Amino acid sequence: MNRIATDVLVIGAGSAGVTAALSAARNGVSVVLLERSGFLGGISATLPWLGFHDRDYRQVVKGIAREFAEDLIVSGAAAPYSLDPKCGSAFSLNTHAYKILLMRKLEEAGVTCMMQALFVDSIREGDRVAGVWVETKSGRLRIDAQVIIDTSGDGDVAAHAGLEWQKGRTKDGLVQAPTLVFTLGGVDRAELIRACKDPALQYREWFKGHPEIHKQFTRNLDDLAAFVFGGFAELIEHARSEGGVDIPQSRIVGVKTHVEDEFTVVMTRVLGLDPTDVHSMSESFSRLYAQIPPIVQLFQGWIPGFKNAILREIAPIMGVRESRRIMGDYVVTADDVISGARFDDAVSMGGYHIDIHRPSGSWVESYNVQAYTIPYRSLMSRDAENFLMAGKCISATHEAIGSTRVIPICMGQGQAVGLAAAMAAKKGGAVRDVSIPDLQAKLIEQGAEIGESIGEPDYEAIEKYGQLPLTEEEGTTGEADPVTQGAWVNKS
Ligand SMILES: Cc1cc2nc3c(=O)[nH]c(=O)nc-3n(C[C@H](O)[C@H](O)[C@H](O)COP(=O)(O)OP(=O)(O)OC[C@H]3O[C@@H](n4cnc5c(N)ncnc54)[C@H](O)[C@@H]3O)c2cc1C
């Protein structure tokens, strides 16, 4: 039988998995990282990164995430952070350079990356998850590990091991709408910026309630490397009523990246997806691909700066925003995030607003937050003694995941569980026995931010870019939650 053993096994090489594997290996244990696709980074290798900073423009995610960002900036493969009143910051990068960087860093740290290797089952032995079964080109393989980290985004390993999980909204189990991201080239940046500066066009929906921030922020657009979109609703309405354009999104959603003529489009959308059901996923793929041509036509015909736009790239994976959430010793809530909770067992941080792409109806639900910590207890399964998780599948509510899910925040969690796994593996694998003060001290020593050094608000940046109030009354949430319907509803 094909059988190998490792100290730490990480399943899923997205933003959470790569940082977990790197962190564990740098702390002196053997690590195997499993990935079903042919590249590292998961969804983080398809998008700009949001949420390194909080609404006070303080950097709340540091450590390995910041190391990646700085390496990419130094090598010319990314622009410096672009500050933003809603998202804290946007970090625009060449995602291919990032994938190359990850391969190198993991190799240098001694991580065994097992590519195109699909996790298929868990091996449960009492209170432990002893190992997993993997399908590979060379056949079925068993991997045993002291500590297992589920960073599959879907909580696959936990579900197969019979550990408790939840999925979707409490009332109906529906998850956030997924998106197949694509990139347009041939964009006229100057013309687009002129449209953004026109207050009548509302290129960000939340400007409606804050015209003064529109003025303050758009003054900086010419100098900002990247900027985020979520608006132009009236232009879409015109395209629908006058041009008969049929698209699933009521706003232009995406990011003007640091590449002069490039725009990342985040507008395809399917309702009713079950990301753990192959039929639902397959049907969604076909609907998402079908939406791309009309969205491209919408841009070319109706959005300033896109007359000569061309479809440049389609992401190699579907962007699933939410799937299973593994239940831990603590479940992070929206209240924790909004109130900026500081936990005694804090191991990472976040400051990105709650951003829920509605599972039914349209547009988003959004709530601003204060810089908050993420407790170690929400990164360990309540049902197993050697099992950690990071990224989309942590122990948090549907609402809290709306904030904790962005890329830098997932990386912060990954670094924390990687270190904790290494510490536990050296002593037999019990993740609850890890000393919290030791873990926190080592995280700080290794550059992570757990709330000790975020400092004062950046008043200069607030003055320059504007600051949204914690509670916004108008302009953020768009439509209420109408009946789920339309050509983009999944029929499975
Ligand atoms: C459409 C969309 C737009 C977004 N926009 C932004 C944005 O602009 N900026 C931002 O910061 N965040 C954004 N986010 C959020 C963020 O990108 C993700 O939440 C985050 O990257 C999730 O990281 P992860 O590591 O938890 O999961 P993933 O990136 O999903 O990684 C999971 C990995 O596990 C692998 N895997 C899964 N199952 C198996 C298995 N059975 N066997 C082996 N491998 C497996 C997958 O192939 C994947 O590589 C967006 C998310 C979506 C979906």
mmCIF file of all heavy atoms in Angstrom, residues 152-170:
data_model
loop_
_atom_site.group_PDB
_atom_site.id
_atom_site.type_symbol
_atom_site.label_atom_id
_atom_site.label_comp_id
_atom_site.label_asym_id
_atom_site.label_seq_id
_atom_site.Cartn_x
_atom_site.Cartn_y
_atom_site.Cartn_z
ATOM 1 N N SER A 152 -9.280 23.498 3.028
ATOM 2 C CA SER A 152 -9.880 23.168 1.729
ATOM 3 C C SER A 152 -10.919 24.203 1.305
ATOM 4 O O SER A 152 -11.420 24.151 0.196
ATOM 5 C CB SER A 152 -10.536 21.784 1.800
ATOM 6 O OG SER A 152 -11.622 21.815 2.711
ATOM 7 N N GLY A 153 -11.255 25.126 2.194
ATOM 8 C CA GLY A 153 -12.292 26.108 1.893
ATOM 9 C C GLY A 153 -13.686 25.531 2.033
ATOM 10 O O GLY A 153 -14.649 26.245 2.283
ATOM 11 N N ASP A 154 -13.813 24.219 1.888
ATOM 12 C CA ASP A 154 -15.110 23.545 1.974
ATOM 13 C C ASP A 154 -15.245 22.717 3.251
ATOM 14 O O ASP A 154 -16.257 22.041 3.429
ATOM 15 C CB ASP A 154 -15.288 22.588 0.780
ATOM 16 C CG ASP A 154 -15.462 23.342 -0.530
ATOM 17 O OD1 ASP A 154 -16.267 24.287 -0.548
ATOM 18 O OD2 ASP A 154 -14.784 22.995 -1.515
ATOM 19 N N GLY A 155 -14.226 22.706 4.093
ATOM 20 C CA GLY A 155 -14.273 21.851 5.284
ATOM 21 C C GLY A 155 -14.413 20.386 4.909
ATOM 22 O O GLY A 155 -15.020 19.592 5.639
ATOM 23 N N ASP A 156 -13.812 20.003 3.771
ATOM 24 C CA ASP A 156 -13.952 18.629 3.275
ATOM 25 C C ASP A 156 -13.453 17.588 4.270
ATOM 26 O O ASP A 156 -14.089 16.554 4.489
ATOM 27 C CB ASP A 156 -13.129 18.443 1.982
ATOM 28 C CG ASP A 156 -13.854 18.954 0.750
ATOM 29 O OD1 ASP A 156 -15.021 19.385 0.881
ATOM 30 O OD2 ASP A 156 -13.242 18.932 -0.342
ATOM 31 N N VAL A 157 -12.297 17.871 4.870
ATOM 32 C CA VAL A 157 -11.662 16.867 5.736
ATOM 33 C C VAL A 157 -12.502 16.692 7.008
ATOM 34 O O VAL A 157 -12.742 15.571 7.466
ATOM 35 C CB VAL A 157 -10.219 17.290 6.084
ATOM 36 C CG1 VAL A 157 -9.462 16.136 6.716
ATOM 37 C CG2 VAL A 157 -9.491 17.798 4.843
ATOM 38 N N ALA A 158 -12.966 17.822 7.531
ATOM 39 C CA ALA A 158 -13.801 17.773 8.736
ATOM 40 C C ALA A 158 -15.091 17.000 8.455
ATOM 41 O O ALA A 158 -15.506 16.140 9.245
ATOM 42 C CB ALA A 158 -14.134 19.192 9.186
ATOM 43 N N ALA A 159 -15.722 17.287 7.327
ATOM 44 C CA ALA A 159 -17.000 16.635 7.011
ATOM 45 C C ALA A 159 -16.819 15.124 6.883
ATOM 46 O O ALA A 159 -17.617 14.348 7.421
ATOM 47 C CB ALA A 159 -17.576 17.225 5.721
ATOM 48 N N HIS A 160 -15.748 14.710 6.203
ATOM 49 C CA HIS A 160 -15.517 13.266 6.035
ATOM 50 C C HIS A 160 -15.135 12.598 7.349
ATOM 51 O O HIS A 160 -15.325 11.392 7.508
ATOM 52 C CB HIS A 160 -14.431 13.021 4.981
ATOM 53 C CG HIS A 160 -14.939 13.144 3.575
ATOM 54 N ND1 HIS A 160 -15.409 12.066 2.858
ATOM 55 C CD2 HIS A 160 -15.086 14.215 2.780
ATOM 56 C CE1 HIS A 160 -15.807 12.483 1.659
ATOM 57 N NE2 HIS A 160 -15.627 13.782 1.594
ATOM 58 N N ALA A 161 -14.588 13.374 8.280
ATOM 59 C CA ALA A 161 -14.202 12.798 9.575
ATOM 60 C C ALA A 161 -15.360 12.813 10.569
ATOM 61 O O ALA A 161 -15.216 12.375 11.706
ATOM 62 C CB ALA A 161 -13.023 13.579 10.148
ATOM 63 N N GLY A 162 -16.491 13.343 10.154
ATOM 64 C CA GLY A 162 -17.653 13.388 11.044
ATOM 65 C C GLY A 162 -17.575 14.494 12.080
ATOM 66 O O GLY A 162 -18.245 14.435 13.114
ATOM 67 N N LEU A 163 -16.748 15.514 11.837
ATOM 68 C CA LEU A 163 -16.676 16.649 12.766
ATOM 69 C C LEU A 163 -17.831 17.606 12.455
ATOM 70 O O LEU A 163 -18.290 17.686 11.314
ATOM 71 C CB LEU A 163 -15.333 17.384 12.620
ATOM 72 C CG LEU A 163 -14.069 16.507 12.631
ATOM 73 C CD1 LEU A 163 -12.819 17.387 12.563
ATOM 74 C CD2 LEU A 163 -14.019 15.625 13.872
ATOM 75 N N GLU A 164 -18.276 18.331 13.476
ATOM 76 C CA GLU A 164 -19.456 19.182 13.294
ATOM 77 C C GLU A 164 -19.153 20.376 12.375
ATOM 78 O O GLU A 164 -18.112 21.025 12.498
ATOM 79 C CB GLU A 164 -19.928 19.698 14.652
ATOM 80 C CG GLU A 164 -21.262 20.418 14.569
ATOM 81 C CD GLU A 164 -21.696 20.971 15.930
ATOM 82 O OE1 GLU A 164 -21.144 20.549 16.964
ATOM 83 O OE2 GLU A 164 -22.583 21.844 15.915
ATOM 84 N N TRP A 165 -20.085 20.660 11.472
ATOM 85 C CA TRP A 165 -19.944 21.829 10.600
ATOM 86 C C TRP A 165 -21.329 22.417 10.342
ATOM 87 O O TRP A 165 -22.352 21.767 10.576
ATOM 88 C CB TRP A 165 -19.272 21.459 9.275
ATOM 89 C CG TRP A 165 -19.902 20.309 8.534
ATOM 90 C CD1 TRP A 165 -19.574 18.982 8.666
ATOM 91 C CD2 TRP A 165 -20.983 20.352 7.592
ATOM 92 N NE1 TRP A 165 -20.374 18.207 7.851
ATOM 93 C CE2 TRP A 165 -21.239 19.022 7.178
ATOM 94 C CE3 TRP A 165 -21.747 21.387 7.047
ATOM 95 C CZ2 TRP A 165 -22.234 18.694 6.246
ATOM 96 C CZ3 TRP A 165 -22.741 21.055 6.114
ATOM 97 C CH2 TRP A 165 -22.968 19.730 5.728
ATOM 98 N N GLN A 166 -21.330 23.638 9.823
ATOM 99 C CA GLN A 166 -22.572 24.280 9.394
ATOM 100 C C GLN A 166 -22.340 24.869 8.015
ATOM 101 O O GLN A 166 -21.199 25.074 7.608
ATOM 102 C CB GLN A 166 -22.975 25.398 10.361
ATOM 103 C CG GLN A 166 -23.387 24.895 11.718
ATOM 104 C CD GLN A 166 -23.774 26.025 12.673
ATOM 105 O OE1 GLN A 166 -23.790 27.201 12.314
ATOM 106 N NE2 GLN A 166 -24.081 25.647 13.902
ATOM 107 N N LYS A 167 -23.445 25.172 7.341
ATOM 108 C CA LYS A 167 -23.280 25.767 6.010
ATOM 109 C C LYS A 167 -24.382 26.784 5.767
ATOM 110 O O LYS A 167 -25.554 26.490 5.991
ATOM 111 C CB LYS A 167 -23.335 24.657 4.954
ATOM 112 C CG LYS A 167 -22.957 25.106 3.558
ATOM 113 C CD LYS A 167 -22.704 23.931 2.606
ATOM 114 C CE LYS A 167 -23.881 22.994 2.538
ATOM 115 N NZ LYS A 167 -23.704 21.902 1.602
ATOM 116 N N GLY A 168 -24.022 27.985 5.331
ATOM 117 C CA GLY A 168 -24.992 28.971 4.882
ATOM 118 C C GLY A 168 -25.734 29.700 5.984
ATOM 119 O O GLY A 168 -25.407 29.630 7.166
ATOM 120 N N ARG A 169 -26.783 30.420 5.543
ATOM 121 C CA ARG A 169 -27.575 31.214 6.490
ATOM 122 C C ARG A 169 -28.378 30.302 7.399
ATOM 123 O O ARG A 169 -28.854 29.248 6.961
ATOM 124 C CB ARG A 169 -28.577 32.088 5.729
ATOM 125 C CG ARG A 169 -27.978 33.134 4.873
ATOM 126 C CD ARG A 169 -29.029 34.118 4.419
ATOM 127 N NE ARG A 169 -29.929 33.576 3.415
ATOM 128 C CZ ARG A 169 -30.588 34.315 2.527
ATOM 129 N NH1 ARG A 169 -30.441 35.627 2.536
ATOM 130 N NH2 ARG A 169 -31.397 33.778 1.653
ATOM 131 N N THR A 170 -28.596 30.757 8.628
ATOM 132 C CA THR A 170 -29.360 29.948 9.573
ATOM 133 C C THR A 170 -30.751 29.661 9.028
ATOM 134 O O THR A 170 -31.262 28.554 9.124
ATOM 135 C CB THR A 170 -29.485 30.700 10.919
ATOM 136 O OG1 THR A 170 -28.213 31.219 11.245
ATOM 137 C CG2 THR A 170 -29.956 29.782 12.018
#
